[in-house]
Amino acid sequence: MKKRCVKCGKVKPLSDFYTMAGMRDGHRNDCKSCNLAAKAARYRANPEPAKERARQWARENPDRVKAQRARVRESGRRAEQNRRSHLKRKYGISLAEYDRLLDRQDGRCGICGRPPRDDISLHVDHDHGSGEIRGLLCFRCNNALGDFGDDPQLLDRAVAYLAGHRENLAEVERMTALARARAQLLVVPNGADAAPTLF
């Protein structure tokens, strides 16, 4: 048996409609998809009533809440659930999409090439303006980009600074070696009349 949804107008099987007592066919007039979309819109517009209902239920059913938390802890799913939720909420990607990014980078940081530590995964690097995901970075590289404000010109200046410092360091080392060589020429063995021993 089929039924037409009053919201989307599509004809769907009865299994696509929630049951409801008092209806002629025993099912709601809006399909599950439209019903869920309407609930989500109501929640986005005013989430507080739904949150309060959840809090009230938790206050009235503490044993069930405790049992559910224990089941989740025992199953070891909490960390994975949190990770999935974080990726979806913050970056809009699934765990499978994260894994595809990781495979594309051979399981390593997109900048330094280090593999992730055992206790922490690679961070999702994204453009803070557009939200576009650029890749996966280790903690240090991700923080470095953040500290530079994702500013390519500032990063170029940092590279130039480091390169210039290396050139200066090489020059200082060259001058030090030259000074040592000249000083060695001034050293005269003890007892000689020409000059005192410098070293």
Side-chain angles (χ1 to χ4, degrees):
M1 190 171 170
K2 295 191 173 194
K3 181 173 183 167
R4 183 181 301 276
C5 173
V6 295
K7 291 187 177 171
C8 67
K10 294 179 182 172
V11 176
K12 299 181 176 183
L14 273 182
S15 60
D16 284 1
F17 295 81
Y18 289 116
T19 57
M20 185 175 185
M23 299 299 288
R24 187 178 307 153
D25 59 7
H27 293 80
R28 292 182 57 90
N29 286 329
D30 55 344
C31 67
K32 290 178 180 177
S33 297
C34 291
N35 183 273
L36 291 173
K39 281 182 183 176
R42 282 194 303 273
Y43 181 83
R44 282 192 304 272
N46 185 12
E48 200 49 43
K51 289 180 179 180
E52 183 51 40
R53 278 193 305 276
R55 286 191 289 264
Q56 181 65 31
W57 184 90
R59 284 192 295 271
E60 293 170 358
N61 300 281
D63 293 338
R64 290 177 68 182
V65 170
K66 187 176 179 182
Q68 172 61 18
R69 287 181 181 160
R71 279 194 301 274
V72 169
R73 261 194 316 276
E74 288 169 11
S75 71
R77 292 181 315 180
R78 174 61 71 195
E80 185 178 334
Q81 286 175 345
N82 287 345
R83 188 161 178 242
R84 285 178 192 276
S85 174
H86 171 73
L87 289 171
K88 186 55 86 174
R89 187 179 62 251
K90 187 157 185 184
Y91 306 109
I93 63 171
S94 67
L95 191 53
E97 290 169 311
Y98 176 93
D99 290 340
R100 279 194 291 276
L101 281 170
L102 191 60
D103 285 344
R104 252 187 261 148
Q105 293 181 196
D106 295 323
R108 298 175 175 278
C109 171
I111 292 178
C112 70
R114 282 188 301 238
R117 295 180 355 205
D118 290 338
D119 61 335
I120 188 167
S121 58
L122 294 178
H123 295 259
V124 177
D125 174 48
H126 67 291
D127 184 308
H128 292 267
S130 68
E132 179 187 354
I133 293 173
R134 295 183 287 221
L136 303 176
L137 302 177
C138 69
F139 179 80
R140 277 183 10 180
C141 291
N142 191 49
N143 276 0
L145 285 185
D147 289 344
F148 278 100
D150 292 346
D151 183 342
Q153 291 177 338
L154 193 55
L155 286 164
D156 286 343
R157 287 171 52 195
V159 169
Y161 169 81
L162 287 174
H165 182 68
R166 280 198 190 109
E167 289 170 10
N168 289 342
L169 184 60
E171 181 63 17
V172 167
E173 288 173 353
R174 189 183 72 74
M175 293 300 286
T176 302
L178 183 59
R180 280 195 182 119
R182 287 183 180 162
Q184 289 297 326
L185 293 175
L186 296 175
V187 175
V188 178
N190 281 336
D193 295 333
T197 303
L198 297 178
F199 298 99

